[in-house]
Amino acid sequence: MDNVYEKLKILADSAKYDVSCSTSGVDRKNTGKRGNAVAAGICHSWSSDGRCVSLLKILFTNKCVYDCQYCVNRRTEDVQRASFEPEELAKLTMEFYRRNYIEGLFLSSAVEISPDYTAERMLKCLKLLRFDYGFSGYIHTKIIPGVSQEILHEIGLISDRLSVNIELPSKESLGLLAPQKKVDGIFSPMKQITETLTERGFLRGPGTMFNNEVMVKEQGSVIPYKSRSKNKELFAPAGQTTQMIIGASAETDRQIVKISQSLYQRFKMKRVYFSAYIPVSDSPLLPNRFTQPPLTREHRLYQADWLLRFYGFTADEIADEKNPFLDLELDPKISWALRNIEKFPIEINTASLEELLRIPGIGTISARRIVRQRKFAAVRFDDLKKIGVVTKRAKFFITCIGRYYGGRDIAPDYIKKEILSADNIKMNLLPADKNVQISMFDIANPALESKNGYLIQSNLDIGNNINNNITTF
Ligand code: SF4
């Protein structure tokens, strides 16, 4: 296929299932070349479900020799196939960038011929982009499991962020649904990235696990790499992320949260993304095509992830052996509080910061504000709203100057009922036909092509983006 626009259409569409491309906090000023990557995050636009939209998210190729059951690009699926030439994609990215359609590139790929063959072509494209076209924008590159250490290293020197998808939450599921992928092929590159970042002083302490210093940096979008120096070769300064498919296999939420915790601890991941499985296959090993994607479950897992990273919870606390699945009706912090009701109520004026962070309705910012304010005067219940506390939740779990505001009883069933009715929680899933991520071409104006065959106009308004699911490398 020679037409670049046709390739773009196929390969941007094929990439839409990958969710692990949020922004990162890289800060790089324009140095006479083209583009900036700013600390506040390259992805300034977010879809309604919180996903970024201003990267060119694309596969290098969707010609895949693997046959992962959950993937629309698998070898045995009858879809249109295409591959970019390195020059084509480098040029296309620059065309988009110059027109302000994008602020960076998220480059992923299927496995054409072999991991090294594909990765070398991706590397060639990235080199052209960085060195020939002088592109200084953000680049997030997906690493193909099984790629050689040398190629990975070179890609890391050019990219801002790397990711290797863990894909499925257990070795058994991986063996069943993606038999060509090996656990070692996934963990080895993760380990290499972690070791290189550590050697270069870009990773210190517990990564993104609960840690006050890290929390402030993450929230303020400050560069987490103080030790960057002009003389150092930068290797993936925005660190690494990974993605897990949820609902394609039988693992419990407890298993998933425990794996996430281990990924944060072992590999110092910046993020672990979850991707609700949208059925695209008739494989008997997978949920049938009419199954609703588990979007609420995905949402609860993201909330659990937040508790792991910023609130000091452990995986065992979030989902224990008796409760291996997260409550779909309540966020995991409330669920934990109700299971541990004997720890409440907590007096706002004497609780430690760690205790405050465990109270439903109190976030990281409001917890710090409480600690600051009470140095000068006791915090009253009426002050809490101004501080940013969600009092309709917090009131069941706190006392203020000794007084309880949660009603007649501090009983889990009663509190749950009250919270659900106050929040008017409706567990509506989106209609099945909306549970797909739209393609930029679904709503695009007919794109105009310039004389050289590259896009000169396209509607990239993908703000109604609904959902992503499957991993494509
Ligand atoms: S998940 Fe990746 S490797 Fe597996 S079939 Fe899809 S594109 Fe190929």
Side-chain angles (χ1 to χ4, degrees):
M1 183 180 297
D2 294 330
N3 186 312
V4 174
Y5 175 67
E6 280 304 312
K7 288 184 184 181
L8 173 67
K9 214 170 157 182
I10 294 167
L11 294 168
D13 211 50
S14 300
K16 69 187 181 185
Y17 298 108
D18 203 312
V19 299
S20 54
C21 63
S22 79
T23 187
S24 60
V26 168
D27 193 6
R28 183 174 48 244
K29 290 266 180 305
N30 187 319
T31 51
K33 296 185 175 181
R34 292 178 185 85
N36 296 310
V38 290
I42 179 77
C43 309
H44 304 297
S45 304
W46 293 81
S47 60
S48 53
D49 59 352
R51 290 172 180 139
C52 62
V53 293
S54 62
L55 298 177
L56 172 58
K57 188 162 94 171
I58 199 146
L59 293 193
F60 192 83
T61 175
N62 71 344
K63 294 178 183 169
C64 199
V65 291
Y66 288 5
D67 202 29
C68 309
Q69 297 293 301
Y70 48 80
C71 178
V72 75
N73 297 312
R74 65 189 180 279
R75 177 169 44 82
T76 51
E77 183 73 2
D78 183 18
V79 291
Q80 259 194 307
R81 305 281 174 177
S83 290
F84 279 116
E85 290 304 317
E87 298 76 14
E88 284 174 341
L89 184 55
K91 218 167 167 183
L92 185 69
T93 306
M94 282 311 292
E95 293 285 332
F96 271 70
Y97 196 82
R98 284 200 191 99
R99 284 164 179 76
N100 233 0
Y101 296 157
I102 57 161
E103 294 169 86
L105 172 69
F106 175 70
L107 181 59
S108 184
S109 185
V111 185
E112 186 175 8
I113 299 180
S114 72
D116 273 359
Y117 173 84
T118 312
E120 264 181 25
R121 286 167 62 77
M122 291 164 77
L123 177 61
K124 191 172 171 198
C125 168
L126 296 178
K127 281 182 171 171
L128 280 169
L129 201 52
R130 281 279 194 243
F131 306 132
D132 288 30
Y133 293 120
F135 178 76
S136 257
Y138 178 82
I139 297 179
H140 177 164
T141 311
K142 193 57 69 94
I143 296 298
I144 299 175
V147 73
S148 71
Q149 291 189 357
E150 295 72 29
I151 298 176
L152 190 163
H153 188 77
E154 280 203 72
I155 291 177
L157 292 176
I158 292 176
S159 305
D160 291 289
R161 171 165 280 180
L162 299 175
S163 50
V164 191
N165 283 351
I166 187 166
E167 309 275 24
L168 294 159
S170 76
K171 194 176 167 185
E172 293 69 32
S173 297
L174 196 71
L176 195 66
L177 298 175
Q180 286 123 325
K181 287 181 183 160
K182 303 296 167 215
V183 173
D184 188 51
I186 294 170
F187 286 138
S188 292
M190 283 182 183
K191 188 164 170 258
Q192 186 188 337
I193 296 165
T194 310
E195 286 175 353
T196 312
L197 288 169
T198 308
E199 273 164 24
R200 287 160 189 248
F202 294 157
L203 285 180
R204 288 189 196 140
T208 55
M209 290 298 286
F210 178 68
N211 167 287
N212 290 348
E213 194 193 2
V214 172
M215 180 158 54
V216 172
K217 283 170 178 172
E218 288 278 321
Q219 288 186 342
S221 297
V222 177
I223 318 170
Y225 321 109
K226 275 187 183 164
S227 61
R228 289 175 74 169
S229 98
K230 280 180 186 163
N231 300 326
K232 264 187 183 163
E233 275 185 315
L234 286 179
F235 179 91
Q240 65 172 323
T241 62
T242 190
Q243 175 184 298
M244 222 184 293
I245 302 165
I246 304 306
S249 49
E251 288 81 8
T252 62
D253 292 339
R254 176 173 159 79
Q255 284 171 284
I256 292 165
V257 177
K258 277 180 93 82
I259 290 162
S260 300
Q261 177 176 268
S262 145
L263 288 166
Y264 283 124
Q265 288 170 339
R266 276 178 71 194
F267 300 115
K268 313 278 193 270
M269 290 284 163
K270 286 290 163 195
R271 286 295 301 273
V272 175
Y273 290 91
F274 306 109
S275 179
Y277 173 66
I278 296 175
V280 291
S281 159
D282 290 322
S283 166
L285 300 171
L286 289 163
N288 72 46
R289 281 192 191 259
F290 304 104
T291 309
Q292 289 275 8
L295 297 181
T296 309
R297 187 180 177 199
E298 179 195 86
H299 176 61
R300 295 291 177 226
L301 283 165
Y302 275 120
Q303 290 176 320
D305 177 75
W306 209 250
L307 295 183
L308 273 184
R309 295 192 298 135
F310 300 123
Y311 286 79
F313 283 80
T314 63
D316 284 327
E317 289 176 312
I318 294 167
D320 58 27
E321 277 177 12
K322 276 195 202 153
N323 305 277
F325 286 96
L326 300 173
D327 187 336
L328 294 182
E329 286 188 308
L330 293 171
D331 83 49
K333 194 175 178 189
I334 299 178
S335 297
W336 174 83
L338 294 179
R339 287 200 306 275
N340 292 275
I341 201 70
E342 72 287 351
K343 297 188 195 307
F344 298 94
I346 289 174
E347 170 56 47
I348 286 288
N349 286 288
T350 54
S352 65
L353 177 65
E354 287 70 26
E355 285 172 324
L356 289 173
L357 286 170
R358 290 186 169 240
I359 299 171
I362 297 186
T364 54
I365 294 173
S366 48
R368 281 179 167 70
R369 283 183 186 151
I370 290 170
V371 172
R372 257 201 318 270
Q373 181 170 322
R374 72 190 185 190
K375 284 182 188 158
F376 306 103
V379 176
R380 292 165 302 136
F381 188 74
D382 290 343
D383 298 330
L384 291 176
K385 245 190 190 156
K386 287 177 230 151
I387 284 173
V389 173
V390 183
T391 49
K392 66 180 179 186
R393 292 185 176 191
K395 68 180 181 183
F396 299 106
F397 303 97
I398 59 170
T399 55
C400 254
I401 319 180
R403 185 162 166 205
Y404 182 65
Y405 293 82
R408 61 177 170 82
D409 209 357
I410 182 158
D413 289 346
Y414 165 73
I415 295 174
K416 180 173 178 177
K417 203 168 132 240
E418 289 293 305
I419 287 176
L420 288 177
S421 64
D423 282 0
N424 194 18
I425 291 173
K426 291 184 182 138
M427 303 308 296
N428 290 341
L429 286 175
L430 293 164
D433 64 343
K434 301 278 186 199
N435 283 328
V436 291
Q437 186 187 44
I438 57 175
S439 154
M440 61 183 176
F441 298 98
D442 291 343
I443 53 169
N445 292 326
L448 304 176
E449 285 188 44
S450 67
K451 283 180 194 150
N452 61 8
Y454 293 111
L455 280 183
I456 57 171
Q457 184 183 334
S458 173
N459 179 356
L460 290 182
D461 173 16
I462 50 176
N464 294 322
N465 171 359
I466 303 293
N467 188 40
N468 299 297
N469 71 335
I470 297 166
T471 305
T472 43
F473 286 129

